[in-house]
Amino acid sequence: MFKKILIANRGEIACRVAATARRLGIKTVAVYSEADANAKHVAVCDEAVLIGPAAAKESYLRGDKIIAVAKATGAQAIHPGYGFLSENAEFADACAEAGLVFIGPPASAMRAMGSKSAAKSLMEKAAVPLVPGYHGDNQDADFLNREADRIGYPVLLKASAGGGGKGMRVVENSAAFKDALASCKREAISSFGDDKVLAEKYLQRPRHIEIQVFADTLGNCIYLFERDCSVQRRHQKVLEEAPAPNMSAERRAAMGEAAVAAAKAVGYVGAGTVEFIANQDGSFYFMEMNTRLQVEHPVTEMITGTDLVEWQLRVAAGEPLPKKQDELRIHGHAIEARIYAENPEKGFLPSIGTLRHLATPDAVNFELGGIPGHPSGVRIDSGVREGDAISPFYDPMIAKLIVWGADRKQALARMSQALAQYQIVGLAANIAFLKRLVEGEAFATADLDTGLIERHHDTLFPAAQPAAQGALALAAVALIEAEKQASAAQSGANAGDPWGSALGWRMNTAYTRSLSFTDDYAAALPAKAYNVQVTYRDADWLFNLPSCPDAQPERLSLMSQQGADFSIKLGDTAWHGSVRRDGDTFHVFTGGAHYALAYNDPMAHAGETEAEGGRLTAPMPGKVVAVLAEKGQAVKKGDALVIMEAMKMEHTISAPHDGVVEEVLYAVGDQVTDGAPLLAFKAA
Ligand code: ADP
Ligand code: ADP
Ligand code: MG
């Protein structure tokens, strides 16, 4: 076994690999970019070396620098994680030339599977079923258009070198083909440096079911069952589970054997995933093979009681697979939810910022040597801690929340409980959305297909609900108690002076105060304003919401407080919750929900006006990839003006009204900052 390895990645996967290495007594070397100097993966490894600026191209994708660091630190092998260099065959070759073991498959297998088109040709020969389509070399636009007509719409265009749900376009009809092709090729070249595309029949209501395969250098190749990753947004996975619901033993064996055949066809070694797209009747087609560890590997670990990173290390060191096919069993059910810094209400727009407050459910701390499949049932794999930032440079994933249950029902219940305990303040996160998703009828009854989120849009994105009275009362109590403490702290000179205190003491009359809060949690929804009236009394308060039609003043009292955790009584109801203050906003976590109540402090100066004039601004930092309007051009409402790329997505900035473009402020290739005006626009 290796004595020291280098981990050529960042975030949760680097921490994940380091955890297993530590458990096996293997020393670890981290590499990091300037943006990650204080990152968790740097802290959990034995050594860490700076390899360059924030941009991945200048750091995590610099194979030459990484190899030099491995040599200099005496690492014997490199674990690439996923993303970055993990599927880069040249990098695997360069490792071998430098006398380092690449912890992954042979470069030849990566090459064979690296292009979706070439992989499909190979699988055709190995008699693995394929989705009807065209995956040849001819890239002429008219030719591809005719092929799409032949396949029949809707057609899916895919970047042959694509990954991460990027570089895909659904084309509904022949007239829309050329535009979609251009946009697909643009994304393909900018993301993967290769604009080759393939076309496939776009299946209706399919499921994404993938098989975990593992092979060693001694010729053994097995499958560790399947994962269902049908719940996706923008062709990216949101929830993953194992085993796949409603999978018969026969179908499982058929898919497992097809996956092993695919792996054997390319001389595979190590961990790999064969992705299939399946019809509701169970028929399945090869989609692609990911020649690396997969983001969602923990659900497989949880149901098989294995540590797949340990298996990777053993296989890379020349050892045989730890288990044979007939020694593997499925125990219970596991579900993973990807917790992202993003705003589901704004089309899943990634969000950046600092995790100013982070509280997680009780979980096995995997980094401290927790065993996969541990009966506590909850595992969190994360690369960030409270105080860390989600930057625009990398994937906006905050954590993977993984739960295990004796059956799917128990796993689901644990997932919704764990999500209720997850608290994030400082940036938009998808927790509430995930909670609605796992609690929704469709997922609960395993009515799965890749369109689940879109089809259930109305229940997954409900209209803004009025904030619970208890949440408003908790915010009010937290505010008043904080004022009390602040005034006690600065009492010093004027201690005992009732006029100088914030206790609400007023001569002879009960003091009634109006607190104004705005609930703006789901930023895309219209904010709701609340006027909370609090009357101070000797030992408690009277609480009222005069703007609510049937509101009655109710007795409000503080039962106990421990730091940010409050227990209050409102009328006859007890409320428990945490209240975290971030600037003027009170984040109230109660009853499994998160309310962000902005306090409109009458003492603070009035907010700045937010009129942007006629400027259209960048929704986030990123790169301009297309400018579709020029100075002086008249445009119609909804016309695309500028396309930006940021955080693995294209964002289109469209005309808000009919009007005229007065000025274009950036050109293709320019990097722009969050909120930068992109165009000057004049409404007609
Ligand atoms: P990536 O490399 O980005 O993972 P995949 O080829 O694996 O690309 O496809 C990603 C997702 O896109 C799939 O999980 C599925 O939801 C959807 N998809 C891919 N091919 C098809 C298809 N032919 N019909 C319908 N949906 C598809
Ligand atoms: P999986 O099926 O394992 O989710 P994906 O194709 O979605 O595989 O990609 C795996 C992961 O690799 C992504 O979740 C992302 O974190 C990372 N990744 C993909 N593309 C990039 C990229 N261009 N830069 C950095 N990381 C990437
Ligand atoms: Mg895929």
Side-chain angles (χ1 to χ4, degrees):
M1 183 48 75
F2 309 113
K3 292 199 165 59
K4 197 189 236 190
I5 62 170
L6 181 146
I7 303 169
N9 215 299
R10 64 179 302 283
E12 63 88 18
I13 190 59
C15 298
R16 164 72 191 86
V17 173
T20 291
R22 189 178 322 109
R23 191 166 61 72
L24 299 179
I26 301 169
K27 292 250 177 302
T28 51
V29 181
V31 290
Y32 65 97
S33 72
E34 282 163 11
D36 279 340
N38 297 313
K40 182 174 165 188
H41 81 275
V42 170
V44 302
C45 288
D46 297 306
E47 287 170 66
V49 181
L50 175 68
I51 47 168
K57 236 186 241 164
E58 297 175 65
S59 51
Y60 296 106
L61 289 170
R62 283 292 299 271
D64 55 340
K65 282 195 186 172
I66 291 170
I67 287 172
V69 172
K71 298 299 285 176
T73 55
Q76 298 155 291
I78 297 186
H79 194 304
Y82 54 69
F84 298 129
L85 296 166
S86 62
E87 298 185 87
N88 185 316
E90 286 72 48
F91 179 66
D93 279 339
C95 287
E97 274 160 37
L100 297 162
V101 176
F102 175 78
I103 302 171
S108 56
M110 290 161 74
R111 284 202 174 89
M113 291 296 185
S115 147
K116 288 188 208 288
S117 311
K120 286 183 84 175
S121 301
L122 258 168
M123 292 302 112
E124 213 162 17
K125 284 191 202 119
V128 177
L130 299 181
V131 188
Y134 174 78
H135 50 263
D137 288 332
N138 193 336
Q139 296 291 302
D140 176 70
D142 290 312
F143 171 81
L144 288 173
N145 201 343
R146 282 196 302 278
E147 280 298 309
D149 295 347
R150 176 185 64 79
I151 296 164
Y153 297 91
V155 158
L156 182 63
L157 286 172
K158 279 188 194 176
S160 187
K166 269 193 105 170
M168 274 192 273
R169 295 291 182 278
V170 181
V171 194
E172 296 294 345
N173 52 56
S174 198
F177 185 85
K178 292 264 172 67
D179 278 353
L181 179 68
S183 147
C184 186
K185 282 191 174 279
R186 187 167 58 232
E187 191 167 304
I189 196 92
S190 94
S191 303
F192 312 109
D194 177 355
D195 72 352
K196 187 173 180 187
V197 300
L198 62 84
E200 276 180 5
K201 178 86 191 159
Y202 188 60
L203 302 187
Q204 299 302 307
R205 300 203 58 172
R207 281 168 72 178
H208 173 119
I209 299 178
E210 59 185 35
I211 305 286
Q212 176 71 56
V213 293
F214 233 108
D216 62 22
T217 49
L218 310 168
N220 303 304
C221 184
I222 63 174
Y223 61 92
L224 290 96
F225 314 112
E226 76 282 359
R227 295 181 285 258
D228 189 311
C229 313
S230 300
V231 183
Q232 305 181 343
R233 52 123 178 72
R234 273 189 271 108
H235 305 301
Q236 289 169 353
K237 299 158 185 167
V238 178
L239 296 175
E240 299 109 336
E241 60 183 308
N246 307 319
M247 176 80 122
S248 70
E250 293 73 39
R251 185 79 63 187
R252 174 169 296 131
M255 293 184 84
E257 280 154 24
V260 166
K264 282 188 168 160
V266 296
Y268 205 76
V269 175
T273 295
V274 181
E275 296 190 332
F276 293 103
I277 189 116
N279 282 312
Q280 293 291 328
D281 68 7
S283 54
F284 58 91
Y285 307 102
F286 171 86
M287 207 158 37
E288 65 163 343
M289 180 170 186
N290 292 328
T291 55
R292 53 169 163 85
L293 194 67
Q294 199 93 329
V295 174
E296 57 275 19
H297 74 277
V299 293
T300 300
E301 295 184 323
M302 300 286 266
I303 62 155
T304 55
T306 52
D307 177 338
L308 296 182
V309 174
E310 177 179 347
W311 282 37
Q312 286 190 297
L313 293 167
R314 293 200 181 285
V315 165
E319 295 181 25
L321 289 177
K323 286 195 173 164
K324 299 200 164 54
Q325 189 69 58
D326 60 12
E327 292 171 330
L328 288 164
R329 296 277 177 284
I330 295 175
H331 300 284
H333 200 96
I335 306 175
E336 171 180 290
R338 298 193 190 190
I339 298 181
Y340 276 110
E342 67 181 15
N343 194 332
E345 280 77 14
K346 281 192 183 167
F348 299 99
L349 195 67
S351 155
I352 53 174
T354 300
L355 289 157
R356 300 169 67 89
H357 163 68
L358 174 68
T360 56
D362 289 336
V364 177
N365 189 344
F366 198 72
E367 285 103 53
L368 296 179
I371 300 152
H374 187 283
S376 98
V378 180
R379 164 175 163 185
I380 295 171
D381 283 17
S382 176
V384 288
R385 305 149 299 189
E386 186 170 83
D388 288 346
I390 300 292
S391 73
F393 305 109
Y394 315 110
D395 194 274
M397 191 157 73
I398 298 170
K400 302 187 303 203
L401 174 62
I402 308 119
V403 297
W404 181 91
D407 55 21
R408 189 171 191 269
K409 221 170 144 188
Q410 189 184 44
L412 262 171
R414 283 182 167 167
M415 178 58 89
S416 91
Q417 177 173 286
L419 286 167
Q421 294 168 344
Y422 228 107
Q423 302 180 356
I424 293 175
V425 171
L427 33 71
N430 61 345
I431 306 269
F433 170 76
L434 289 171
K435 199 156 175 289
R436 288 193 291 270
L437 194 55
V438 297
E439 289 170 1
E441 163 100 10
F443 189 70
T445 58
D447 181 15
L448 303 172
D449 70 90
T450 59
L452 186 150
I453 291 178
E454 272 163 36
R455 200 170 48 258
H456 294 278
H457 190 273
D458 293 353
T459 44
L460 292 173
F461 297 95
Q465 299 296 307
Q469 287 213 4
L472 291 163
L474 281 163
V477 169
L479 177 96
I480 292 167
E481 291 299 311
E483 284 176 352
K484 253 194 215 171
Q485 273 168 26
S487 105
Q490 51 142 260
S491 55
N494 50 4
D497 168 10
W499 305 107
S501 87
L503 299 181
W505 188 91
R506 290 293 184 278
M507 210 179 284
N508 293 329
T509 46
Y511 166 47
T512 296
R513 202 174 154 188
S514 263
L515 305 174
S516 150
F517 289 103
T518 312
D519 179 358
D520 61 357
Y521 179 52
L525 303 168
K528 277 195 189 321
Y530 297 92
N531 175 20
V532 174
Q533 260 179 20
V534 180
T535 305
Y536 287 64
R537 305 196 303 193
D538 281 348
D540 59 9
W541 304 275
L542 271 183
F543 173 92
N544 198 12
L545 288 173
S547 51
C548 288
D550 42 45
Q552 293 283 342
E554 285 192 284
R555 188 177 161 245
L556 169 66
S557 55
L558 173 61
M559 312 302 289
S560 69
Q561 178 186 0
Q562 281 222 331
D565 295 331
F566 292 83
S567 287
I568 60 167
K569 207 161 156 203
L570 181 61
D572 292 327
T573 311
W575 290 81
H576 310 285
S578 311
V579 185
R580 304 280 168 178
R581 186 168 186 165
D582 183 24
D584 284 337
T585 301
F586 288 77
H587 291 266
V588 181
F589 296 91
T590 185
H594 175 185
Y595 304 87
L597 300 168
Y599 174 52
N600 307 313
D601 188 349
M603 309 304 277
H605 58 85
E608 293 86 40
T609 85
E610 57 181 70
E612 284 288 342
R615 314 223 126 182
L616 292 173
T617 57
M620 56 177 27
K623 196 168 87 178
V624 174
V625 292
V627 176
L628 307 169
E630 50 190 54
K631 185 173 171 166
Q633 187 175 331
V635 293
K636 290 247 165 293
K637 178 178 174 175
D639 282 357
L641 305 178
V642 170
I643 300 178
M644 281 186 56
E645 191 202 81
M647 302 178 90
K648 309 208 305 176
M649 260 179 82
E650 277 195 2
H651 306 275
T652 302
I653 288 90
S654 310
H657 315 281
D658 293 359
V660 176
V661 174
E662 291 189 310
E663 193 76 61
V664 179
L665 300 162
Y666 288 94
V668 171
D670 287 349
Q671 207 66 40
V672 296
T673 55
D674 191 5
L678 298 171
L679 299 141
F681 178 82
K682 192 165 174 227

